[in-house]
Amino acid sequence: MMRELVYYVAVSIDGFIAEPDGTFDAFPVTGDHAAVLTSDFADAVPTQFLEMLGVAPPRSRFDTVIQGSRSYRIALDEGNEHPYAHLREYVATRSGATPPDGVTYTADPLATIRDLKQEDGLGIYLCGGGVLAGSLLSEIDQLVLKRYPIVLGDGIRMFAGADPTVAPFNLVSTRRFESGLVIEEYRRPDEGSPFRGPSRA
């Protein structure tokens, strides 16, 4: 079975994944949903936070992560070159800089994802940001949205800069929490389905 690219992301009711300055402090980190995020989705938690919680990454969902340069810059500014040290780390950037050991820079994330999908392994975690997600929309197999009960009004869209398109996904599960968070999981329809997304050719 081909590896899947999974866009797992926190998002507001109105479809923003961050505030205009790129911060996401508006998304609450506490609540009854927190235990699920650090158990069912522990592979997508930054390594330093797993260590603080005393949680070992299960490596049952993801073994690879790709993120955009702005998302990676947040970790670098905190002195962390390996925010997901328990995963294979890729960063989409055209900077031409030399990456830290253990991190791979790619100027062509679409080609990189297509190559990774041909390998054996677990899912590929698309960490963000919105511009990268927009450029990889045709390769996204699954969406896992942590929908928070807030409206930002403006900010970084979930698929920033994506070309106008219709990309259908099927809602496969919904989990609601007392905190107001809803985890929505969507899958791209199978090839041949009348509701299949855009061609990946």
Side-chain angles (χ1 to χ4, degrees), residues 84-159:
Y84 296 96
H86 58 286
L87 304 175
R88 292 171 63 189
E89 296 182 88
Y90 289 82
V91 176
T93 177
R94 294 186 175 89
S95 69
T98 301
D101 289 342
V103 176
T104 301
Y105 287 173
T106 174
D108 190 347
L110 189 61
T112 296
I113 290 299
R114 287 173 174 168
D115 288 343
L116 288 171
K117 282 188 171 187
Q118 301 305 313
E119 300 175 358
D120 292 332
L122 300 176
I124 304 163
Y125 168 33
L126 172 52
C127 179
V131 172
L132 177 60
S135 71
L136 294 176
L137 177 55
S138 65
E139 289 298 319
I140 294 174
D141 302 287
Q142 186 177 5
L143 301 169
V144 181
L145 309 183
K146 298 173 286 183
R147 179 99 48 193
Y148 285 86
I150 59 173
V151 171
L152 293 181
D154 192 11
I156 298 175
R157 293 197 173 276
M158 192 165 67
F159 293 103

Side-chain angles (χ1 to χ4, degrees), residues 4 8 10 12 15-16 27 32-33 38 73-74 94 100 104-105 108 111 116 139 154 172 176-177 183 199:
E4 294 188 334
Y8 170 69
S12 66
F16 295 102
F27 296 112
D32 60 322
H33 60 273
T38 55
R73 173 54 58 185
I74 295 172
R94 294 186 175 89
T104 301
Y105 287 173
D108 190 347
L116 288 171
E139 289 298 319
D154 192 11
V172 296
R176 295 178 172 83
F177 298 86
I183 298 179
S199 172

